[in-house]
Amino acid sequence: MARISWDDLQVVQAVFEAGTLSGAAIRLASSPATIGRRVAAIEAAMNVVLFARGAGGYLPTAAGTALARRLTPVAEALSGLEREAAALSGHVRLATADTLAVYLVAPALAELAARRPEITVELLASALRLDLLKHEADLALRLVRPEAQGLLMRRVGRIRYHLYLRPDRLETIRAGGRVPLIGWDRGFQGLALARWMAEALGHMPVGMKSDSIEVQRAAAAAGLGIAVLPDYMCGPGSGLVPLPEAPVPPDRPVWLVARPDMARMPAVRAVMEVVARAARRALSERPDFAAPSPDAINEPDRDLPASSS
């Protein structure tokens, strides 16, 4: 049998966990075609079929499952050593949702850079929930409380939502006109926020739908309608004001999560402290939702303060 390298075994592990060539390619920063060729070469070298190819993806055979199970603890141990070494050298991987990354974490990292220039932060902004126990990230800022055991977690704030629109569209409503709602695409109707909108705002006409809350914010700022948005996305300068006396969805807690061993690393601890402080500051402030003055309605640059909360 030809010699199999650790890189080859990582390919097998990635395909086993992802179930598809495309998923494995994303994890390994490669292409599906390359991963497919490597799997075929590994199987030829080992003289065994590790995966059954089908319409649903790559399904592990008994041999593939047995190999992957042996690889899992080894891969996790090596990954842990790599992450600890990186953290000791000042490299920290932080995972969070894209909007939190843009509006909360990135500004906080500017403060960190000024105080601790030796620390490098790799900000992983994705809808994918990376597994901290597998060392896919060092810490995470999450909207859902983790269920996995063995993690440190701290609630650092609560996201509050309101209905937002452009000031001139608020003037349209006050004049007796109707402004449509900006909603979620049909593929996202299972989201808690989308369900709340269907129940509380189902009577309102919908003028636009999107699968991105960032697009919804941009659409509201362009005057296309009313969007249900987190307060932290609609601060001063956003060109948006809250709709007075409108129903609001429940708050959502935000959790800062880390492995206990990684949280003891000085660089990781420094990032945690800066992010926690920024989150508490941004997510604890309540905007003034009094009705804007007529002048404020006519001058978008003078909208109400709506700092993130």
Side-chain angles (χ1 to χ4, degrees), residues 94-120:
L94 168 59
T96 191
D98 53 358
T99 54
L100 287 174
V102 171
Y103 292 92
L104 193 153
V105 178
L109 294 182
E111 174 188 345
L112 177 70
R115 293 173 45 212
R116 300 289 299 275
E118 75 279 8
I119 296 177
T120 300

mmCIF file of all heavy atoms in Angstrom, residues 94-120:
data_model
loop_
_atom_site.group_PDB
_atom_site.id
_atom_site.type_symbol
_atom_site.label_atom_id
_atom_site.label_comp_id
_atom_site.label_asym_id
_atom_site.label_seq_id
_atom_site.Cartn_x
_atom_site.Cartn_y
_atom_site.Cartn_z
ATOM 1 N N LEU A 94 -12.208 34.428 15.891
ATOM 2 C CA LEU A 94 -13.495 34.784 16.484
ATOM 3 C C LEU A 94 -14.603 34.578 15.454
ATOM 4 O O LEU A 94 -14.544 35.144 14.354
ATOM 5 C CB LEU A 94 -13.473 36.238 16.956
ATOM 6 C CG LEU A 94 -14.805 36.893 17.342
ATOM 7 C CD1 LEU A 94 -15.480 36.136 18.480
ATOM 8 C CD2 LEU A 94 -14.590 38.344 17.730
ATOM 9 N N ALA A 95 -15.595 33.781 15.799
ATOM 10 C CA ALA A 95 -16.706 33.497 14.898
ATOM 11 C C ALA A 95 -17.964 34.217 15.369
ATOM 12 O O ALA A 95 -18.252 34.268 16.568
ATOM 13 C CB ALA A 95 -16.975 31.990 14.842
ATOM 14 N N THR A 96 -18.716 34.758 14.420
ATOM 15 C CA THR A 96 -19.971 35.411 14.755
ATOM 16 C C THR A 96 -20.807 35.599 13.489
ATOM 17 O O THR A 96 -20.355 35.309 12.381
ATOM 18 C CB THR A 96 -19.725 36.767 15.440
ATOM 19 O OG1 THR A 96 -20.968 37.265 15.983
ATOM 20 C CG2 THR A 96 -19.175 37.794 14.458
ATOM 21 N N ALA A 97 -22.034 36.072 13.660
ATOM 22 C CA ALA A 97 -22.893 36.365 12.523
ATOM 23 C C ALA A 97 -22.370 37.598 11.793
ATOM 24 O O ALA A 97 -21.713 38.462 12.380
ATOM 25 C CB ALA A 97 -24.326 36.608 13.000
ATOM 26 N N ASP A 98 -22.677 37.689 10.500
ATOM 27 C CA ASP A 98 -22.087 38.765 9.695
ATOM 28 C C ASP A 98 -22.499 40.151 10.173
ATOM 29 O O ASP A 98 -21.677 41.067 10.194
ATOM 30 C CB ASP A 98 -22.411 38.575 8.210
ATOM 31 C CG ASP A 98 -23.898 38.413 7.940
ATOM 32 O OD1 ASP A 98 -24.698 38.401 8.900
ATOM 33 O OD2 ASP A 98 -24.259 38.293 6.755
ATOM 34 N N THR A 99 -23.753 40.335 10.573
ATOM 35 C CA THR A 99 -24.173 41.671 11.000
ATOM 36 C C THR A 99 -23.510 42.069 12.318
ATOM 37 O O THR A 99 -23.123 43.230 12.495
ATOM 38 C CB THR A 99 -25.697 41.765 11.137
ATOM 39 O OG1 THR A 99 -26.167 40.720 12.006
ATOM 40 C CG2 THR A 99 -26.366 41.619 9.784
ATOM 41 N N LEU A 100 -23.359 41.122 13.239
ATOM 42 C CA LEU A 100 -22.643 41.431 14.477
ATOM 43 C C LEU A 100 -21.182 41.748 14.176
ATOM 44 O O LEU A 100 -20.586 42.632 14.804
ATOM 45 C CB LEU A 100 -22.744 40.264 15.452
ATOM 46 C CG LEU A 100 -24.101 40.038 16.131
ATOM 47 C CD1 LEU A 100 -24.065 38.763 16.954
ATOM 48 C CD2 LEU A 100 -24.483 41.226 16.999
ATOM 49 N N ALA A 101 -20.615 41.048 13.211
ATOM 50 C CA ALA A 101 -19.225 41.310 12.831
ATOM 51 C C ALA A 101 -19.060 42.725 12.308
ATOM 52 O O ALA A 101 -18.107 43.430 12.655
ATOM 53 C CB ALA A 101 -18.778 40.294 11.779
ATOM 54 N N VAL A 102 -20.006 43.164 11.466
ATOM 55 C CA VAL A 102 -19.901 44.474 10.825
ATOM 56 C C VAL A 102 -20.165 45.607 11.811
ATOM 57 O O VAL A 102 -19.391 46.569 11.896
ATOM 58 C CB VAL A 102 -20.871 44.567 9.633
ATOM 59 C CG1 VAL A 102 -20.943 45.997 9.100
ATOM 60 C CG2 VAL A 102 -20.445 43.616 8.525
ATOM 61 N N TYR A 103 -21.254 45.486 12.565
ATOM 62 C CA TYR A 103 -21.712 46.622 13.366
ATOM 63 C C TYR A 103 -21.163 46.654 14.794
ATOM 64 O O TYR A 103 -21.174 47.698 15.428
ATOM 65 C CB TYR A 103 -23.243 46.633 13.421
ATOM 66 C CG TYR A 103 -23.881 46.945 12.093
ATOM 67 C CD1 TYR A 103 -24.240 45.918 11.217
ATOM 68 C CD2 TYR A 103 -24.098 48.257 11.691
ATOM 69 C CE1 TYR A 103 -24.814 46.196 9.987
ATOM 70 C CE2 TYR A 103 -24.668 48.543 10.458
ATOM 71 C CZ TYR A 103 -25.018 47.514 9.615
ATOM 72 O OH TYR A 103 -25.579 47.789 8.380
ATOM 73 N N LEU A 104 -20.693 45.513 15.302
ATOM 74 C CA LEU A 104 -20.269 45.486 16.699
ATOM 75 C C LEU A 104 -18.814 45.057 16.853
ATOM 76 O O LEU A 104 -18.022 45.757 17.480
ATOM 77 C CB LEU A 104 -21.190 44.544 17.483
ATOM 78 C CG LEU A 104 -21.122 44.604 19.010
ATOM 79 C CD1 LEU A 104 -22.450 44.181 19.615
ATOM 80 C CD2 LEU A 104 -20.014 43.716 19.558
ATOM 81 N N VAL A 105 -18.449 43.916 16.264
ATOM 82 C CA VAL A 105 -17.124 43.359 16.529
ATOM 83 C C VAL A 105 -16.022 44.151 15.836
ATOM 84 O O VAL A 105 -15.003 44.488 16.460
ATOM 85 C CB VAL A 105 -17.060 41.878 16.103
ATOM 86 C CG1 VAL A 105 -15.657 41.331 16.345
ATOM 87 C CG2 VAL A 105 -18.087 41.061 16.887
ATOM 88 N N ALA A 106 -16.189 44.449 14.546
ATOM 89 C CA ALA A 106 -15.132 45.159 13.823
ATOM 90 C C ALA A 106 -14.785 46.497 14.483
ATOM 91 O O ALA A 106 -13.590 46.808 14.659
ATOM 92 C CB ALA A 106 -15.528 45.357 12.360
ATOM 93 N N PRO A 107 -15.765 47.318 14.868
ATOM 94 C CA PRO A 107 -15.399 48.556 15.575
ATOM 95 C C PRO A 107 -14.670 48.289 16.889
ATOM 96 O O PRO A 107 -13.764 49.032 17.262
ATOM 97 C CB PRO A 107 -16.757 49.236 15.812
ATOM 98 C CG PRO A 107 -17.641 48.698 14.726
ATOM 99 C CD PRO A 107 -17.211 47.273 14.555
ATOM 100 N N ALA A 108 -15.071 47.211 17.587
ATOM 101 C CA ALA A 108 -14.406 46.892 18.849
ATOM 102 C C ALA A 108 -12.954 46.495 18.630
ATOM 103 O O ALA A 108 -12.084 46.781 19.454
ATOM 104 C CB ALA A 108 -15.158 45.771 19.568
ATOM 105 N N LEU A 109 -12.686 45.838 17.505
ATOM 106 C CA LEU A 109 -11.321 45.396 17.231
ATOM 107 C C LEU A 109 -10.380 46.576 16.960
ATOM 108 O O LEU A 109 -9.164 46.458 17.125
ATOM 109 C CB LEU A 109 -11.309 44.432 16.047
ATOM 110 C CG LEU A 109 -12.024 43.098 16.287
ATOM 111 C CD1 LEU A 109 -11.902 42.202 15.071
ATOM 112 C CD2 LEU A 109 -11.486 42.405 17.540
ATOM 113 N N ALA A 110 -10.957 47.697 16.547
ATOM 114 C CA ALA A 110 -10.119 48.890 16.371
ATOM 115 C C ALA A 110 -9.547 49.325 17.716
ATOM 116 O O ALA A 110 -8.379 49.740 17.811
ATOM 117 C CB ALA A 110 -10.945 50.011 15.738
ATOM 118 N N GLU A 111 -10.360 49.225 18.758
ATOM 119 C CA GLU A 111 -9.890 49.541 20.109
ATOM 120 C C GLU A 111 -8.793 48.565 20.537
ATOM 121 O O GLU A 111 -7.779 48.950 21.117
ATOM 122 C CB GLU A 111 -11.064 49.468 21.088
ATOM 123 C CG GLU A 111 -10.684 49.626 22.551
ATOM 124 C CD GLU A 111 -11.834 49.350 23.496
ATOM 125 O OE1 GLU A 111 -12.998 49.321 23.031
ATOM 126 O OE2 GLU A 111 -11.567 49.155 24.700
ATOM 127 N N LEU A 112 -9.004 47.289 20.225
ATOM 128 C CA LEU A 112 -8.010 46.278 20.587
ATOM 129 C C LEU A 112 -6.691 46.530 19.855
ATOM 130 O O LEU A 112 -5.615 46.413 20.442
ATOM 131 C CB LEU A 112 -8.543 44.888 20.239
ATOM 132 C CG LEU A 112 -7.587 43.726 20.505
ATOM 133 C CD1 LEU A 112 -7.410 43.515 21.993
ATOM 134 C CD2 LEU A 112 -8.101 42.445 19.839
ATOM 135 N N ALA A 113 -6.774 46.866 18.575
ATOM 136 C CA ALA A 113 -5.564 47.085 17.784
ATOM 137 C C ALA A 113 -4.735 48.233 18.343
ATOM 138 O O ALA A 113 -3.496 48.202 18.297
ATOM 139 C CB ALA A 113 -5.937 47.355 16.332
ATOM 140 N N ALA A 114 -5.418 49.239 18.853
ATOM 141 C CA ALA A 114 -4.688 50.385 19.409
ATOM 142 C C ALA A 114 -3.970 50.015 20.700
ATOM 143 O O ALA A 114 -2.876 50.506 20.977
ATOM 144 C CB ALA A 114 -5.662 51.531 19.650
ATOM 145 N N ARG A 115 -4.584 49.114 21.485
ATOM 146 C CA ARG A 115 -4.020 48.749 22.786
ATOM 147 C C ARG A 115 -3.080 47.560 22.715
ATOM 148 O O ARG A 115 -2.108 47.485 23.460
ATOM 149 C CB ARG A 115 -5.152 48.444 23.771
ATOM 150 C CG ARG A 115 -6.007 49.647 24.132
ATOM 151 C CD ARG A 115 -7.203 49.223 24.967
ATOM 152 N NE ARG A 115 -6.817 48.287 26.008
ATOM 153 C CZ ARG A 115 -7.603 47.312 26.461
ATOM 154 N NH1 ARG A 115 -8.801 47.140 25.944
ATOM 155 N NH2 ARG A 115 -7.184 46.514 27.414
ATOM 156 N N ARG A 116 -3.403 46.595 21.831
ATOM 157 C CA ARG A 116 -2.628 45.359 21.750
ATOM 158 C C ARG A 116 -2.284 45.052 20.295
ATOM 159 O O ARG A 116 -2.830 44.133 19.692
ATOM 160 C CB ARG A 116 -3.425 44.204 22.367
ATOM 161 C CG ARG A 116 -3.806 44.378 23.838
ATOM 162 C CD ARG A 116 -2.594 44.250 24.746
ATOM 163 N NE ARG A 116 -1.986 42.929 24.623
ATOM 164 C CZ ARG A 116 -2.386 41.857 25.308
ATOM 165 N NH1 ARG A 116 -3.398 41.952 26.170
ATOM 166 N NH2 ARG A 116 -1.769 40.706 25.158
ATOM 167 N N PRO A 117 -1.391 45.801 19.694
ATOM 168 C CA PRO A 117 -1.094 45.618 18.265
ATOM 169 C C PRO A 117 -0.469 44.265 17.948
ATOM 170 O O PRO A 117 -0.434 43.852 16.787
ATOM 171 C CB PRO A 117 -0.126 46.769 17.961
ATOM 172 C CG PRO A 117 0.469 47.125 19.279
ATOM 173 C CD PRO A 117 -0.610 46.900 20.286
ATOM 174 N N GLU A 118 0.035 43.549 18.961
ATOM 175 C CA GLU A 118 0.657 42.252 18.706
ATOM 176 C C GLU A 118 -0.370 41.141 18.483
ATOM 177 O O GLU A 118 -0.026 40.033 18.051
ATOM 178 C CB GLU A 118 1.576 41.867 19.880
ATOM 179 C CG GLU A 118 0.860 41.397 21.132
ATOM 180 C CD GLU A 118 0.317 42.524 22.013
ATOM 181 O OE1 GLU A 118 0.365 43.693 21.567
ATOM 182 O OE2 GLU A 118 -0.130 42.236 23.132
ATOM 183 N N ILE A 119 -1.646 41.427 18.749
ATOM 184 C CA ILE A 119 -2.705 40.418 18.587
ATOM 185 C C ILE A 119 -3.322 40.539 17.196
ATOM 186 O O ILE A 119 -3.700 41.629 16.762
ATOM 187 C CB ILE A 119 -3.799 40.580 19.659
ATOM 188 C CG1 ILE A 119 -3.206 40.317 21.052
ATOM 189 C CG2 ILE A 119 -4.963 39.638 19.396
ATOM 190 C CD1 ILE A 119 -4.202 40.520 22.186
ATOM 191 N N THR A 120 -3.431 39.427 16.503
ATOM 192 C CA THR A 120 -4.084 39.366 15.197
ATOM 193 C C THR A 120 -5.386 38.592 15.351
ATOM 194 O O THR A 120 -5.382 37.465 15.842
ATOM 195 C CB THR A 120 -3.198 38.663 14.154
ATOM 196 O OG1 THR A 120 -1.979 39.378 14.012
ATOM 197 C CG2 THR A 120 -3.918 38.596 12.806
#
